[in-house]
């Protein structure tokens, strides 16, 4: 019966954006750096890049 009545309501207060805790941000940065080094090591280990060979450092006779 009251379906045609306009109900005036207050707007809900906007929620503040979620902030990442500082410890989690540091952990993500450190984890990303470690992952980058592991990925680089795996790449050179798998591909066998000859520039990583240290044949120039062999003792001279």
């Amino acid at each position: 019966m009251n379906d045609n009545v306009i109900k005036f309501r207050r707007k809900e207060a906007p929620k503040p954006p979620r902030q990442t805790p500082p410890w989690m941000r540091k952990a993500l940065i450190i984890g990303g750096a470690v992952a980058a080094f592991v990925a680089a090591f795996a790449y050179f280990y798998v591909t066998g890049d000859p520039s990583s060979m240290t044949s120039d450092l062999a003792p001279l006779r």
Side-chain angles (χ1 to χ4, degrees):
M1 183 163 117
N2 291 329
D3 291 338
N4 293 332
V5 176
I6 298 175
K7 296 180 182 178
F8 294 97
R9 297 182 185 156
R10 290 183 181 221
K11 291 184 179 179
E12 294 182 14
K15 295 180 182 179
R18 296 181 70 184
Q19 296 290 327
T20 307
W23 63 269
M24 186 180 291
R25 187 178 308 152
K26 289 179 185 177
L28 288 172
I29 291 171
I30 291 171
V34 169
F37 281 113
V38 168
F41 174 78
Y43 171 75
F44 287 112
Y45 184 79
V46 170
T47 60
D49 187 25
S51 65
S52 64
M53 303 283 181
T54 56
S55 60
D56 294 340
L57 299 178
L60 298 174
R61 292 187 186 206

mmCIF file of all heavy atoms in Angstrom, residues 34-53:
data_model
loop_
_atom_site.group_PDB
_atom_site.id
_atom_site.type_symbol
_atom_site.label_atom_id
_atom_site.label_comp_id
_atom_site.label_asym_id
_atom_site.label_seq_id
_atom_site.Cartn_x
_atom_site.Cartn_y
_atom_site.Cartn_z
ATOM 1 N N VAL A 34 63.982 -11.388 -3.745
ATOM 2 C CA VAL A 34 64.479 -12.770 -3.682
ATOM 3 C C VAL A 34 63.984 -13.551 -4.901
ATOM 4 O O VAL A 34 64.747 -14.311 -5.513
ATOM 5 C CB VAL A 34 64.043 -13.440 -2.363
ATOM 6 C CG1 VAL A 34 64.299 -14.933 -2.391
ATOM 7 C CG2 VAL A 34 64.757 -12.797 -1.187
ATOM 8 N N ALA A 35 62.720 -13.373 -5.268
ATOM 9 C CA ALA A 35 62.176 -14.074 -6.438
ATOM 10 C C ALA A 35 62.912 -13.670 -7.711
ATOM 11 O O ALA A 35 63.149 -14.508 -8.594
ATOM 12 C CB ALA A 35 60.681 -13.793 -6.569
ATOM 13 N N ALA A 36 63.285 -12.394 -7.837
ATOM 14 C CA ALA A 36 64.017 -11.940 -9.023
ATOM 15 C C ALA A 36 65.395 -12.602 -9.097
ATOM 16 O O ALA A 36 65.824 -13.035 -10.176
ATOM 17 C CB ALA A 36 64.157 -10.418 -8.993
ATOM 18 N N PHE A 37 66.099 -12.694 -7.968
ATOM 19 C CA PHE A 37 67.404 -13.350 -7.970
ATOM 20 C C PHE A 37 67.278 -14.837 -8.275
ATOM 21 O O PHE A 37 68.102 -15.399 -9.007
ATOM 22 C CB PHE A 37 68.112 -13.147 -6.619
ATOM 23 C CG PHE A 37 68.751 -11.792 -6.495
ATOM 24 C CD1 PHE A 37 68.271 -10.878 -5.580
ATOM 25 C CD2 PHE A 37 69.830 -11.427 -7.289
ATOM 26 C CE1 PHE A 37 68.846 -9.628 -5.455
ATOM 27 C CE2 PHE A 37 70.418 -10.179 -7.180
ATOM 28 C CZ PHE A 37 69.922 -9.280 -6.254
ATOM 29 N N VAL A 38 66.263 -15.484 -7.724
ATOM 30 C CA VAL A 38 66.064 -16.911 -7.999
ATOM 31 C C VAL A 38 65.737 -17.116 -9.475
ATOM 32 O O VAL A 38 66.246 -18.052 -10.114
ATOM 33 C CB VAL A 38 64.955 -17.482 -7.083
ATOM 34 C CG1 VAL A 38 64.524 -18.862 -7.532
ATOM 35 C CG2 VAL A 38 65.439 -17.518 -5.640
ATOM 36 N N ALA A 39 64.915 -16.248 -10.038
ATOM 37 C CA ALA A 39 64.569 -16.373 -11.452
ATOM 38 C C ALA A 39 65.799 -16.168 -12.342
ATOM 39 O O ALA A 39 65.992 -16.897 -13.322
ATOM 40 C CB ALA A 39 63.474 -15.376 -11.815
ATOM 41 N N ALA A 40 66.641 -15.195 -12.006
ATOM 42 C CA ALA A 40 67.856 -14.959 -12.792
ATOM 43 C C ALA A 40 68.805 -16.159 -12.686
ATOM 44 O O ALA A 40 69.373 -16.600 -13.683
ATOM 45 C CB ALA A 40 68.551 -13.690 -12.316
ATOM 46 N N PHE A 41 68.974 -16.695 -11.474
ATOM 47 C CA PHE A 41 69.833 -17.855 -11.300
ATOM 48 C C PHE A 41 69.294 -19.045 -12.091
ATOM 49 O O PHE A 41 70.054 -19.736 -12.772
ATOM 50 C CB PHE A 41 69.931 -18.225 -9.817
ATOM 51 C CG PHE A 41 70.691 -19.493 -9.582
ATOM 52 C CD1 PHE A 41 72.077 -19.498 -9.623
ATOM 53 C CD2 PHE A 41 70.026 -20.680 -9.337
ATOM 54 C CE1 PHE A 41 72.784 -20.672 -9.413
ATOM 55 C CE2 PHE A 41 70.728 -21.854 -9.136
ATOM 56 C CZ PHE A 41 72.106 -21.856 -9.170
ATOM 57 N N ALA A 42 68.001 -19.280 -12.025
ATOM 58 C CA ALA A 42 67.392 -20.404 -12.745
ATOM 59 C C ALA A 42 67.561 -20.233 -14.250
ATOM 60 O O ALA A 42 67.836 -21.201 -14.960
ATOM 61 C CB ALA A 42 65.924 -20.529 -12.382
ATOM 62 N N TYR A 43 67.409 -19.018 -14.738
ATOM 63 C CA TYR A 43 67.566 -18.769 -16.173
ATOM 64 C C TYR A 43 68.974 -19.126 -16.637
ATOM 65 O O TYR A 43 69.164 -19.844 -17.611
ATOM 66 C CB TYR A 43 67.253 -17.310 -16.499
ATOM 67 C CG TYR A 43 67.592 -16.933 -17.919
ATOM 68 C CD1 TYR A 43 66.790 -17.338 -18.971
ATOM 69 C CD2 TYR A 43 68.745 -16.200 -18.210
ATOM 70 C CE1 TYR A 43 67.106 -17.008 -20.283
ATOM 71 C CE2 TYR A 43 69.068 -15.865 -19.512
ATOM 72 C CZ TYR A 43 68.254 -16.275 -20.547
ATOM 73 O OH TYR A 43 68.572 -15.963 -21.839
ATOM 74 N N PHE A 44 69.989 -18.605 -15.939
ATOM 75 C CA PHE A 44 71.357 -18.865 -16.350
ATOM 76 C C PHE A 44 71.756 -20.321 -16.097
ATOM 77 O O PHE A 44 72.588 -20.870 -16.802
ATOM 78 C CB PHE A 44 72.330 -17.911 -15.650
ATOM 79 C CG PHE A 44 72.244 -16.523 -16.207
ATOM 80 C CD1 PHE A 44 71.741 -15.484 -15.447
ATOM 81 C CD2 PHE A 44 72.656 -16.255 -17.500
ATOM 82 C CE1 PHE A 44 71.657 -14.208 -15.964
ATOM 83 C CE2 PHE A 44 72.582 -14.984 -18.026
ATOM 84 C CZ PHE A 44 72.071 -13.958 -17.255
ATOM 85 N N TYR A 45 71.163 -20.960 -15.099
ATOM 86 C CA TYR A 45 71.458 -22.365 -14.835
ATOM 87 C C TYR A 45 70.877 -23.255 -15.927
ATOM 88 O O TYR A 45 71.532 -24.185 -16.391
ATOM 89 C CB TYR A 45 70.882 -22.756 -13.470
ATOM 90 C CG TYR A 45 71.214 -24.174 -13.060
ATOM 91 C CD1 TYR A 45 72.465 -24.475 -12.551
ATOM 92 C CD2 TYR A 45 70.276 -25.181 -13.177
ATOM 93 C CE1 TYR A 45 72.785 -25.768 -12.173
ATOM 94 C CE2 TYR A 45 70.577 -26.478 -12.803
ATOM 95 C CZ TYR A 45 71.833 -26.767 -12.301
ATOM 96 O OH TYR A 45 72.139 -28.047 -11.941
ATOM 97 N N VAL A 46 69.670 -22.963 -16.355
ATOM 98 C CA VAL A 46 68.989 -23.791 -17.352
ATOM 99 C C VAL A 46 69.546 -23.549 -18.750
ATOM 100 O O VAL A 46 69.769 -24.487 -19.515
ATOM 101 C CB VAL A 46 67.464 -23.543 -17.321
ATOM 102 C CG1 VAL A 46 66.766 -24.205 -18.489
ATOM 103 C CG2 VAL A 46 66.883 -24.035 -16.011
ATOM 104 N N THR A 47 69.770 -22.302 -19.097
ATOM 105 C CA THR A 47 70.215 -21.997 -20.453
ATOM 106 C C THR A 47 71.697 -22.292 -20.656
ATOM 107 O O THR A 47 72.141 -22.462 -21.797
ATOM 108 C CB THR A 47 69.956 -20.530 -20.816
ATOM 109 O OG1 THR A 47 70.660 -19.693 -19.900
ATOM 110 C CG2 THR A 47 68.480 -20.224 -20.797
ATOM 111 N N GLY A 48 72.478 -22.335 -19.577
ATOM 112 C CA GLY A 48 73.906 -22.616 -19.718
ATOM 113 C C GLY A 48 74.616 -21.531 -20.488
ATOM 114 O O GLY A 48 75.423 -21.812 -21.370
ATOM 115 N N ASP A 49 74.336 -20.277 -20.186
ATOM 116 C CA ASP A 49 74.939 -19.145 -20.875
ATOM 117 C C ASP A 49 76.466 -19.212 -20.751
ATOM 118 O O ASP A 49 77.004 -19.230 -19.645
ATOM 119 C CB ASP A 49 74.411 -17.838 -20.277
ATOM 120 C CG ASP A 49 74.861 -16.637 -21.054
ATOM 121 O OD1 ASP A 49 75.143 -16.781 -22.251
ATOM 122 O OD2 ASP A 49 74.914 -15.544 -20.457
ATOM 123 N N PRO A 50 77.210 -19.275 -21.873
ATOM 124 C CA PRO A 50 78.672 -19.414 -21.792
ATOM 125 C C PRO A 50 79.366 -18.200 -21.197
ATOM 126 O O PRO A 50 80.503 -18.315 -20.757
ATOM 127 C CB PRO A 50 79.098 -19.620 -23.239
ATOM 128 C CG PRO A 50 77.966 -19.168 -24.065
ATOM 129 C CD PRO A 50 76.733 -19.275 -23.227
ATOM 130 N N SER A 51 78.729 -17.045 -21.163
ATOM 131 C CA SER A 51 79.381 -15.873 -20.584
ATOM 132 C C SER A 51 79.535 -16.017 -19.078
ATOM 133 O O SER A 51 80.323 -15.306 -18.470
ATOM 134 C CB SER A 51 78.591 -14.606 -20.908
ATOM 135 O OG SER A 51 77.332 -14.655 -20.282
ATOM 136 N N SER A 52 78.802 -16.940 -18.466
ATOM 137 C CA SER A 52 78.933 -17.130 -17.029
ATOM 138 C C SER A 52 80.074 -18.081 -16.689
ATOM 139 O O SER A 52 80.415 -18.253 -15.534
ATOM 140 C CB SER A 52 77.625 -17.669 -16.446
ATOM 141 O OG SER A 52 77.358 -18.951 -16.969
ATOM 142 N N MET A 53 80.671 -18.722 -17.698
ATOM 143 C CA MET A 53 81.798 -19.610 -17.470
ATOM 144 C C MET A 53 83.030 -18.767 -17.148
ATOM 145 O O MET A 53 83.260 -17.728 -17.751
ATOM 146 C CB MET A 53 82.083 -20.470 -18.708
ATOM 147 C CG MET A 53 80.926 -21.290 -19.163
ATOM 148 S SD MET A 53 80.749 -22.694 -18.098
ATOM 149 C CE MET A 53 79.374 -23.490 -18.871
#
